[in-house]
Amino acid sequence: MRVAVGSDHGGFKLKTEIIAYLEEHKIDYRDFGTYSEESVDYPDFARVVAEAVARGEYQRGILCCGTGIGVCIAANKIPGIRAALCHDTFSARMAGEHNMANIITLGERVIGPGLARDIVGAWLGATFAGGRHARRLDKIAALEREYCRC
Ligand code: RB5
């Protein structure tokens, strides 16, 4: 599994922590930036990570900003992306089992590094349950086809 990782300045330190987690667990990743706490615009980083996941170059993506909200909204604009804002481990597991979220987003100003690590682990370790959940994902994809003007 390859994981694309990105953040804005507000999520930079949390991204660094998540990268340490990925390295400790020998999970292949690429850091798409930002690379400092200098102010940047979160849609730019959500875009490159989400595009890389949507193209299939990376199976998963992790995005951080101050709240996790901005990068979630932006990533979900990319067709094929199911980004989930996760600030607890139950939601992270469900994002994998029920929603097959291919990106999770986290807020550095909301949770600490220990919980963020547990969230990433819960999500990466979850297996999609299929069945009725697959039918619902099909309906989300149909919505996307209906409303996407690209
Ligand atoms: C940046 O100040 C902040 O707005 C951003 O990191 C994020 O929280 C937006 O949703």
Side-chain angles (χ1 to χ4, degrees), residues 37-128:
E37 291 183 79
E38 186 180 333
S39 183
V40 292
D41 297 332
Y42 62 80
D44 298 335
F45 297 88
R47 177 190 185 124
V48 289
V49 166
E51 286 178 341
V53 172
R55 283 196 298 265
E57 296 163 8
Y58 295 81
Q59 288 69 52
R60 304 285 187 104
I62 300 173
L63 284 162
C64 303
C65 64
T67 60
I69 297 170
V71 285
C72 190
I73 293 170
N76 276 315
K77 299 298 180 192
I78 306 299
I81 294 302
R82 293 177 303 279
L85 173 63
C86 292
H87 284 148
D88 64 272
T89 53
F90 176 75
S91 298
R93 186 159 57 82
M94 288 299 108
E97 291 183 7
H98 287 190
N99 311 113
M100 206 161 80
N102 46 14
I103 290 180
I104 58 167
T105 72
L106 305 98
E108 179 182 310
R109 298 169 189 164
V110 184
I111 57 167
L115 178 54
R117 283 167 168 258
D118 285 353
I119 286 167
V120 169
W123 172 61
L124 289 177
T127 303
F128 182 54

Coordinates of all heavy atoms in Angstrom, one line a residue, residues 37-128:
E37 N 6.1 25.7 8.3 CA 4.9 26.3 8.9 C 4.6 27.7 8.3 O 3.8 28.4 8.8 CB 5.1 26.4 10.4 CG 5.1 25.0 11.1 CD 5.2 25.1 12.6 OE1 4.1 25.4 13.2 OE2 6.3 24.9 13.1
E38 N 5.2 28.0 7.2 CA 4.9 29.2 6.5 C 3.5 29.1 5.9 O 3.1 28.0 5.3 CB 5.9 29.4 5.3 CG 5.8 30.7 4.6 CD 6.9 30.9 3.5 OE1 7.9 30.3 3.7 OE2 6.6 31.6 2.6
S39 N 2.7 30.2 5.9 CA 1.3 30.1 5.5 C 1.2 29.8 4.1 O 1.8 30.4 3.2 CB 0.7 31.5 5.8 OG -0.7 31.4 5.5
V40 N 0.3 28.8 3.8 CA -0.1 28.4 2.5 C -1.6 28.2 2.4 O -2.3 28.3 3.4 CB 0.7 27.1 2.1 CG1 2.2 27.2 2.0 CG2 0.3 26.0 3.1
D41 N -2.1 27.8 1.2 CA -3.5 27.6 1.1 C -3.8 26.1 1.0 O -3.4 25.4 0.1 CB -4.0 28.3 -0.2 CG -3.8 29.8 -0.2 OD1 -3.8 30.3 0.9 OD2 -3.6 30.4 -1.2
Y42 N -4.6 25.6 1.9 CA -4.9 24.2 2.1 C -5.5 23.5 0.8 O -5.2 22.4 0.5 CB -5.7 23.9 3.3 CG -7.1 24.5 3.3 CD1 -8.2 23.9 2.6 CD2 -7.4 25.6 4.0 CE1 -9.4 24.5 2.6 CE2 -8.6 26.2 4.1 CZ -9.7 25.6 3.3 OH -10.9 26.2 3.3
P43 N -6.3 24.2 0.0 CA -6.8 23.5 -1.2 C -5.7 23.0 -2.2 O -5.8 22.0 -2.9 CB -7.7 24.6 -1.9 CG -8.1 25.5 -0.8 CD -6.9 25.6 0.1
D44 N -4.5 23.7 -2.2 CA -3.5 23.3 -3.1 C -2.9 22.0 -2.7 O -2.5 21.2 -3.6 CB -2.3 24.4 -3.0 CG -2.8 25.8 -3.5 OD1 -3.8 25.8 -4.3 OD2 -2.2 26.8 -3.1
F45 N -2.8 21.7 -1.4 CA -2.2 20.4 -1.0 C -3.3 19.3 -1.0 O -3.0 18.2 -1.3 CB -1.6 20.6 0.4 CG -0.5 21.6 0.3 CD1 -0.7 23.0 0.4 CD2 0.8 21.2 -0.1 CE1 0.3 23.9 0.3 CE2 1.8 22.1 -0.2 CZ 1.6 23.5 -0.1
A46 N -4.5 19.7 -0.7 CA -5.6 18.7 -0.8 C -5.7 18.2 -2.2 O -5.9 17.0 -2.5 CB -6.9 19.3 -0.3
R47 N -5.6 19.1 -3.1 CA -5.7 18.8 -4.5 C -4.6 17.8 -5.0 O -5.0 16.8 -5.6 CB -5.6 20.1 -5.4 CG -5.6 19.9 -6.8 CD -5.2 21.1 -7.6 NE -5.4 20.9 -9.0 CZ -6.2 21.6 -9.9 NH1 -6.8 22.6 -9.4 NH2 -6.3 21.2 -11.1
V48 N -3.4 18.1 -4.7 CA -2.3 17.2 -5.2 C -2.4 15.8 -4.6 O -2.2 14.8 -5.3 CB -0.9 17.8 -5.1 CG1 -0.7 18.9 -6.0 CG2 -0.6 18.1 -3.7
V49 N -2.7 15.7 -3.3 CA -2.9 14.4 -2.7 C -4.1 13.7 -3.2 O -4.0 12.5 -3.6 CB -3.0 14.6 -1.1 CG1 -3.5 13.3 -0.5 CG2 -1.7 15.0 -0.6
A50 N -5.2 14.4 -3.4 CA -6.5 13.7 -3.8 C -6.3 13.3 -5.3 O -6.8 12.2 -5.7 CB -7.6 14.7 -3.7
E51 N -5.7 14.1 -6.1 CA -5.4 13.7 -7.5 C -4.6 12.5 -7.6 O -4.8 11.6 -8.4 CB -4.8 14.9 -8.3 CG -5.8 16.0 -8.6 CD -5.2 17.2 -9.3 OE1 -4.0 17.3 -9.3 OE2 -6.0 18.0 -9.9
A52 N -3.6 12.4 -6.8 CA -2.7 11.2 -6.8 C -3.4 10.0 -6.4 O -3.2 8.9 -7.0 CB -1.5 11.5 -5.9
V53 N -4.3 10.1 -5.4 CA -5.1 8.9 -5.0 C -6.1 8.6 -6.1 O -6.3 7.4 -6.5 CB -5.8 9.2 -3.7 CG1 -6.8 8.1 -3.3 CG2 -4.8 9.4 -2.6
A54 N -6.8 9.6 -6.6 CA -7.8 9.4 -7.7 C -7.2 8.7 -8.9 O -7.9 7.9 -9.6 CB -8.5 10.7 -8.0
R55 N -6.0 9.1 -9.2 CA -5.3 8.4 -10.4 C -4.8 7.0 -10.1 O -4.4 6.3 -11.0 CB -4.1 9.3 -10.8 CG -4.4 10.6 -11.6 CD -3.1 11.1 -12.2 NE -2.1 11.4 -11.3 CZ -1.9 12.7 -10.8 NH1 -2.7 13.7 -11.2 NH2 -0.9 12.9 -9.9
G56 N -4.9 6.6 -8.8 CA -4.5 5.2 -8.5 C -3.0 5.1 -8.2 O -2.6 4.0 -8.0
E57 N -2.3 6.2 -8.2 CA -0.9 6.1 -7.9 C -0.6 5.8 -6.4 O 0.4 5.2 -6.1 CB -0.2 7.4 -8.3 CG -0.2 7.7 -9.8 CD 0.0 9.2 -10.1 OE1 0.4 9.9 -9.2 OE2 -0.2 9.5 -11.3
Y58 N -1.6 6.2 -5.6 CA -1.5 5.9 -4.2 C -2.9 5.3 -3.8 O -3.9 5.8 -4.3 CB -1.2 7.2 -3.4 CG 0.2 7.7 -3.7 CD1 0.4 8.5 -4.8 CD2 1.2 7.4 -2.9 CE1 1.6 8.9 -5.2 CE2 2.5 7.8 -3.2 CZ 2.7 8.6 -4.3 OH 4.0 9.0 -4.7
Q59 N -2.9 4.3 -2.9 CA -4.1 3.7 -2.6 C -4.9 4.5 -1.5 O -6.1 4.4 -1.4 CB -3.9 2.3 -2.1 CG -3.5 1.3 -3.1 CD -2.1 1.6 -3.7 OE1 -1.2 1.7 -2.9 NE2 -2.0 1.7 -5.0
R60 N -4.1 5.2 -0.7 CA -4.7 6.0 0.4 C -4.1 7.4 0.5 O -2.9 7.6 0.0 CB -4.5 5.3 1.8 CG -5.0 3.9 1.9 CD -6.5 3.8 2.0 NE -6.9 2.4 2.3 CZ -7.3 2.0 3.4 NH1 -7.3 2.8 4.5 NH2 -7.7 0.8 3.6
G61 N -4.8 8.3 1.1 CA -4.2 9.6 1.3 C -4.5 10.1 2.8 O -5.6 9.7 3.3
I62 N -3.6 10.9 3.3 CA -3.9 11.5 4.6 C -3.6 12.9 4.5 O -2.5 13.3 4.0 CB -2.9 10.8 5.7 CG1 -3.2 9.3 5.8 CG2 -3.2 11.5 7.1 CD1 -2.2 8.6 6.7
L63 N -4.5 13.8 4.9 CA -4.4 15.2 4.8 C -4.6 15.8 6.2 O -5.5 15.4 6.9 CB -5.4 15.8 3.9 CG -5.1 15.5 2.4 CD1 -6.4 15.7 1.5 CD2 -4.0 16.5 1.9
C64 N -3.8 16.8 6.5 CA -3.9 17.6 7.8 C -4.0 19.0 7.5 O -3.3 19.6 6.6 CB -2.7 17.3 8.7 SG -2.4 15.6 9.0
C65 N -4.9 19.7 8.3 CA -4.8 21.2 8.4 C -5.2 21.5 9.8 O -5.1 20.7 10.7 CB -5.8 21.8 7.3 SG -7.5 21.5 7.6
G66 N -5.5 22.8 10.1 CA -5.8 23.2 11.5 C -6.9 22.4 12.1 O -6.8 21.9 13.2
T67 N -8.0 22.3 11.3 CA -9.2 21.6 11.8 C -9.4 20.2 11.1 O -10.3 19.5 11.6 CB -10.4 22.4 11.5 OG1 -10.5 22.7 10.1 CG2 -10.4 23.8 12.3
G68 N -8.8 20.0 10.0 CA -9.1 18.9 9.1 C -10.3 19.1 8.2 O -10.6 18.3 7.3
I69 N -11.0 20.2 8.4 CA -12.2 20.5 7.6 C -11.9 21.0 6.2 O -12.5 20.5 5.2 CB -13.1 21.5 8.4 CG1 -13.6 20.9 9.7 CG2 -14.3 21.9 7.5 CD1 -14.2 22.0 10.6
G70 N -11.1 22.0 6.1 CA -10.8 22.6 4.8 C -10.2 21.5 3.8 O -10.7 21.5 2.7
V71 N -9.3 20.8 4.2 CA -8.7 19.8 3.3 C -9.7 18.7 3.0 O -9.7 18.1 1.9 CB -7.4 19.1 3.9 CG1 -6.2 20.1 3.8 CG2 -7.6 18.6 5.3
C72 N -10.7 18.4 3.9 CA -11.7 17.4 3.6 C -12.6 17.9 2.5 O -13.0 17.2 1.6 CB -12.5 17.1 4.9 SG -13.6 15.7 4.7
I73 N -13.1 19.2 2.7 CA -14.0 19.7 1.7 C -13.3 19.8 0.4 O -13.9 19.4 -0.7 CB -14.4 21.2 2.2 CG1 -15.3 21.1 3.4 CG2 -15.1 21.9 1.0 CD1 -15.5 22.5 4.1
A74 N -12.1 20.2 0.3 CA -11.4 20.3 -1.0 C -11.1 19.0 -1.6 O -11.4 18.8 -2.8 CB -10.0 21.1 -0.8
A75 N -10.7 18.0 -0.8 CA -10.4 16.7 -1.4 C -11.6 16.0 -2.0 O -11.6 15.4 -3.0 CB -9.8 15.8 -0.3
N76 N -12.8 16.3 -1.3 CA -14.0 15.6 -1.8 C -14.5 16.2 -3.1 O -15.5 15.7 -3.7 CB -15.1 15.7 -0.7 CG -14.9 14.5 0.2 OD1 -14.7 13.4 -0.2 ND2 -15.0 14.8 1.5
K77 N -13.9 17.3 -3.6 CA -14.2 17.9 -4.9 C -13.6 17.1 -6.1 O -14.0 17.2 -7.2 CB -13.8 19.3 -5.0 CG -14.4 20.3 -4.0 CD -15.9 20.4 -4.2 CE -16.5 21.3 -3.1 NZ -17.9 21.2 -3.1
I78 N -12.7 16.2 -5.7 CA -12.0 15.4 -6.8 C -12.8 14.2 -7.0 O -13.0 13.4 -6.1 CB -10.5 15.1 -6.4 CG1 -9.8 16.3 -6.0 CG2 -9.8 14.3 -7.5 CD1 -9.6 17.4 -7.0
P79 N -13.2 13.9 -8.3 CA -14.0 12.7 -8.5 C -13.3 11.4 -8.1 O -12.1 11.3 -8.3 CB -14.2 12.7 -10.1 CG -14.1 14.2 -10.4 CD -13.1 14.8 -9.5
G80 N -14.0 10.6 -7.4 CA -13.4 9.3 -7.0 C -12.9 9.3 -5.6 O -12.5 8.3 -5.0
I81 N -12.9 10.5 -5.0 CA -12.4 10.7 -3.6 C -13.5 10.6 -2.6 O -14.5 11.2 -2.8 CB -11.6 12.0 -3.5 CG1 -10.3 11.9 -4.3 CG2 -11.3 12.2 -2.0 CD1 -9.4 10.8 -4.0
R82 N -13.3 9.8 -1.6 CA -14.2 9.7 -0.4 C -13.3 10.0 0.8 O -12.6 9.2 1.3 CB -14.8 8.3 -0.3 CG -15.8 7.9 -1.4 CD -16.3 6.5 -1.3 NE -15.2 5.6 -1.2 CZ -14.6 5.1 -2.3 NH1 -15.0 5.5 -3.5 NH2 -13.6 4.2 -2.2
A83 N -13.3 11.3 1.1 CA -12.4 11.8 2.2 C -13.3 11.9 3.5 O -14.4 12.4 3.4 CB -11.8 13.2 1.9
A84 N -12.8 11.4 4.6 CA -13.5 11.4 5.9 C -12.7 12.2 6.9 O -11.5 11.8 7.1 CB -13.8 10.0 6.3
L85 N -13.3 13.1 7.6 CA -12.7 13.8 8.7 C -12.8 12.9 9.9 O -14.0 12.5 10.3 CB -13.5 15.1 9.0 CG -13.1 15.9 10.2 CD1 -11.7 16.4 10.2 CD2 -14.0 17.1 10.4
C86 N -11.7 12.5 10.5 CA -11.7 11.5 11.6 C -11.0 12.0 12.8 O -9.8 12.3 12.7 CB -11.1 10.2 11.2 SG -12.1 9.3 9.9
H87 N -11.7 12.2 13.9 CA -11.0 12.7 15.2 C -11.3 11.7 16.3 O -11.1 12.0 17.5 CB -11.5 14.1 15.5 CG -10.9 15.1 14.7 ND1 -11.5 16.3 14.3 CD2 -9.7 15.2 14.1 CE1 -10.7 17.0 13.6 NE2 -9.6 16.4 13.4
D88 N -11.7 10.5 16.0 CA -11.8 9.4 16.9 C -11.6 8.1 16.2 O -11.8 8.0 15.0 CB -13.2 9.4 17.7 CG -14.3 9.2 16.7 OD1 -14.8 10.1 16.1 OD2 -14.7 8.0 16.6
T89 N -11.2 7.1 17.0 CA -10.8 5.8 16.3 C -12.1 5.0 15.8 O -11.9 4.3 14.8 CB -10.1 4.9 17.3 OG1 -10.8 4.8 18.5 CG2 -8.7 5.5 17.6
F90 N -13.2 5.2 16.4 CA -14.4 4.5 15.9 C -14.8 5.0 14.5 O -15.0 4.2 13.6 CB -15.6 4.7 16.9 CG -16.9 4.1 16.4 CD1 -17.1 2.7 16.4 CD2 -17.9 4.9 15.8 CE1 -18.2 2.2 16.0 CE2 -19.0 4.3 15.4 CZ -19.2 3.0 15.4
S91 N -14.8 6.3 14.4 CA -15.1 6.9 13.1 C -14.0 6.5 12.0 O -14.4 6.2 10.9 CB -15.1 8.5 13.1 OG -16.1 8.9 14.0
A92 N -12.8 6.4 12.5 CA -11.7 6.0 11.5 C -11.9 4.6 11.0 O -11.8 4.3 9.8 CB -10.4 6.1 12.2
R93 N -12.3 3.7 12.0 CA -12.6 2.3 11.6 C -13.8 2.2 10.7 O -13.8 1.5 9.7 CB -12.8 1.4 12.9 CG -12.9 0.0 12.6 CD -12.6 -0.8 13.8 NE -13.4 -0.5 15.0 CZ -14.7 -0.9 15.2 NH1 -15.2 -1.7 14.3 NH2 -15.3 -0.5 16.3
M94 N -14.8 3.0 11.0 CA -16.0 2.9 10.2 C -15.8 3.6 8.8 O -16.3 3.1 7.8 CB -17.2 3.7 10.9 CG -17.8 3.0 12.1 SD -18.5 1.4 11.6 CE -17.4 0.3 12.4
A95 N -14.9 4.6 8.8 CA -14.6 5.2 7.5 C -14.0 4.1 6.5 O -14.2 4.2 5.3 CB -13.6 6.3 7.7
G96 N -13.3 3.2 7.1 CA -12.7 2.1 6.3 C -13.7 1.0 6.0 O -13.9 0.5 4.9
E97 N -14.5 0.6 7.1 CA -15.4 -0.6 7.0 C -16.6 -0.3 6.2 O -17.1 -1.1 5.4 CB -15.7 -1.1 8.4 CG -14.6 -1.8 9.1 CD -15.0 -2.3 10.4 OE1 -16.2 -2.4 10.8 OE2 -14.1 -2.8 11.2
H98 N -17.2 0.9 6.4 CA -18.5 1.2 5.8 C -18.4 2.2 4.6 O -19.1 2.1 3.6 CB -19.4 1.9 6.8 CG -19.9 0.9 7.8 ND1 -20.9 1.3 8.7 CD2 -19.6 -0.4 8.1 CE1 -21.2 0.2 9.5 NE2 -20.4 -0.8 9.2
N99 N -17.5 3.1 4.7 CA -17.4 4.2 3.6 C -16.3 4.0 2.6 O -16.2 4.7 1.7 CB -17.3 5.5 4.3 CG -18.3 5.8 5.4 OD1 -17.9 5.9 6.5 ND2 -19.5 5.8 5.0
M100 N -15.4 3.0 2.9 CA -14.2 2.8 2.1 C -13.5 4.2 1.8 O -13.2 4.4 0.6 CB -14.5 2.0 0.8 CG -13.3 1.3 0.3 SD -13.8 -0.1 -0.9 CE -14.1 0.9 -2.4
A101 N -13.4 5.0 2.8 CA -12.7 6.3 2.6 C -11.3 6.1 2.1 O -10.5 5.3 2.7 CB -12.7 7.0 3.9
N102 N -11.0 6.7 1.0 CA -9.6 6.5 0.5 C -8.7 7.7 1.0 O -7.5 7.6 0.7 CB -9.6 6.4 -1.0 CG -10.5 7.4 -1.8 OD1 -10.9 8.4 -1.2 ND2 -10.7 7.1 -3.1
I103 N -9.3 8.6 1.7 CA -8.5 9.7 2.3 C -9.1 9.9 3.7 O -10.4 9.9 3.8 CB -8.5 11.0 1.5 CG1 -7.7 10.8 0.2 CG2 -8.0 12.1 2.3 CD1 -7.7 12.0 -0.7
I104 N -8.3 10.1 4.7 CA -8.8 10.7 6.0 C -8.1 12.0 6.2 O -7.0 12.3 5.7 CB -8.6 9.7 7.2 CG1 -7.1 9.4 7.4 CG2 -9.5 8.5 7.1 CD1 -6.9 8.8 8.8
T105 N -8.8 12.9 6.9 CA -8.3 14.2 7.2 C -8.3 14.4 8.7 O -9.2 13.9 9.4 CB -9.1 15.3 6.5 OG1 -10.4 15.4 7.1 CG2 -9.2 15.0 5.0
L106 N -7.3 15.1 9.2 CA -7.2 15.3 10.7 C -6.8 16.8 10.9 O -6.1 17.4 10.1 CB -6.1 14.4 11.2 CG -6.3 12.9 11.0 CD1 -5.4 12.5 9.8 CD2 -5.9 12.1 12.2
G107 N -7.2 17.3 12.1 CA -6.9 18.6 12.5 C -5.9 18.7 13.6 O -6.1 18.2 14.7
E108 N -4.8 19.4 13.3 CA -3.7 19.5 14.3 C -4.2 20.3 15.5 O -3.7 20.2 16.6 CB -2.5 20.2 13.6 CG -1.4 20.5 14.6 CD -0.2 21.2 13.9 OE1 0.2 20.7 12.8 OE2 0.2 22.2 14.5
R109 N -5.1 21.3 15.3 CA -5.6 22.1 16.4 C -6.7 21.5 17.2 O -7.3 22.1 18.1 CB -6.0 23.5 15.9 CG -4.9 24.2 15.2 CD -5.4 25.5 14.4 NE -4.2 26.0 13.6 CZ -4.4 26.9 12.6 NH1 -5.6 27.3 12.3 NH2 -3.4 27.3 12.0
V110 N -7.1 20.2 16.8 CA -8.2 19.5 17.4 C -7.7 18.3 18.3 O -8.2 18.1 19.4 CB -9.2 19.0 16.4 CG1 -10.4 18.4 17.0 CG2 -9.6 20.2 15.4
I111 N -6.8 17.5 17.7 CA -6.4 16.3 18.4 C -4.9 16.3 18.6 O -4.1 17.0 17.9 CB -6.8 15.0 17.7 CG1 -6.3 15.0 16.3 CG2 -8.3 14.9 17.8 CD1 -6.5 13.6 15.6
G112 N -4.4 15.5 19.5 CA -3.0 15.4 19.7 C -2.3 14.3 18.9 O -3.1 13.5 18.3
P113 N -1.0 14.2 18.9 CA -0.3 13.2 18.1 C -0.6 11.7 18.4 O -0.7 10.9 17.5 CB 1.2 13.5 18.3 CG 1.2 14.4 19.5 CD -0.1 15.1 19.6
G114 N -0.8 11.4 19.7 CA -1.1 10.0 20.1 C -2.4 9.5 19.5 O -2.5 8.4 18.9
L115 N -3.4 10.3 19.6 CA -4.7 10.0 19.1 C -4.7 9.9 17.5 O -5.2 9.0 16.9 CB -5.8 10.9 19.5 CG -7.2 10.7 19.0 CD1 -7.7 9.3 19.3 CD2 -8.2 11.7 19.6
A116 N -3.9 10.8 16.9 CA -3.8 10.8 15.5 C -3.2 9.5 15.0 O -3.6 8.9 14.0 CB -3.0 12.0 15.0
R117 N -2.2 9.1 15.7 CA -1.5 7.8 15.3 C -2.5 6.7 15.4 O -2.6 5.8 14.5 CB -0.3 7.5 16.3 CG 0.9 8.3 16.0 CD 1.9 8.2 17.1 NE 3.2 8.8 16.7 CZ 4.2 8.0 16.4 NH1 4.1 6.7 16.4 NH2 5.4 8.6 16.0
D118 N -3.3 6.6 16.5 CA -4.3 5.5 16.7 C -5.3 5.6 15.6 O -5.8 4.6 15.1 CB -5.0 5.7 18.0 CG -4.1 5.2 19.2 OD1 -3.0 4.7 18.9 OD2 -4.5 5.4 20.4
I119 N -5.7 6.8 15.2 CA -6.7 7.0 14.1 C -6.2 6.4 12.8 O -6.9 5.7 12.1 CB -7.1 8.5 14.0 CG1 -8.0 8.9 15.2 CG2 -7.8 8.8 12.7 CD1 -8.2 10.3 15.4
V120 N -5.0 6.8 12.5 CA -4.4 6.3 11.2 C -4.3 4.8 11.3 O -4.6 4.1 10.3 CB -3.0 7.0 11.0 CG1 -2.2 6.3 9.9 CG2 -3.1 8.5 10.8
G121 N -3.9 4.2 12.4 CA -3.8 2.8 12.5 C -5.2 2.1 12.4 O -5.3 1.1 11.7
A122 N -6.2 2.7 13.0 CA -7.5 2.1 12.9 C -8.0 2.1 11.5 O -8.7 1.1 11.0 CB -8.5 2.9 13.8
W123 N -7.8 3.2 10.8 CA -8.3 3.3 9.4 C -7.5 2.4 8.5 O -8.1 1.7 7.7 CB -8.2 4.8 9.0 CG -8.4 5.0 7.5 CD1 -9.6 4.8 6.9 CD2 -7.5 5.6 6.6 NE1 -9.5 5.2 5.6 CE2 -8.2 5.7 5.4 CE3 -6.2 6.1 6.7 CZ2 -7.6 6.3 4.2 CZ3 -5.6 6.6 5.6 CH2 -6.3 6.7 4.4
L124 N -6.2 2.4 8.6 CA -5.4 1.5 7.7 C -5.6 0.1 7.9 O -5.6 -0.8 7.0 CB -3.9 1.8 7.9 CG -3.4 3.2 7.3 CD1 -1.9 3.4 7.6 CD2 -3.6 3.4 5.8
G125 N -6.0 -0.3 9.2 CA -6.3 -1.7 9.5 C -7.7 -2.2 9.2 O -8.0 -3.3 9.3
A126 N -8.5 -1.2 8.8 CA -9.9 -1.6 8.6 C -10.1 -2.3 7.2 O -9.4 -1.9 6.3 CB -10.8 -0.4 8.7
T127 N -11.1 -3.2 7.1 CA -11.4 -3.9 5.9 C -12.8 -3.5 5.5 O -13.7 -3.6 6.3 CB -11.3 -5.4 6.0 OG1 -10.0 -5.7 6.5 CG2 -11.6 -6.1 4.7
F128 N -13.0 -3.1 4.2 CA -14.3 -2.7 3.7 C -15.3 -3.9 3.9 O -15.0 -5.0 3.5 CB -14.2 -2.3 2.3 CG -15.5 -1.8 1.7 CD1 -16.3 -0.9 2.3 CD2 -16.0 -2.4 0.5 CE1 -17.5 -0.4 1.8 CE2 -17.2 -2.0 0.0 CZ -18.0 -1.0 0.6

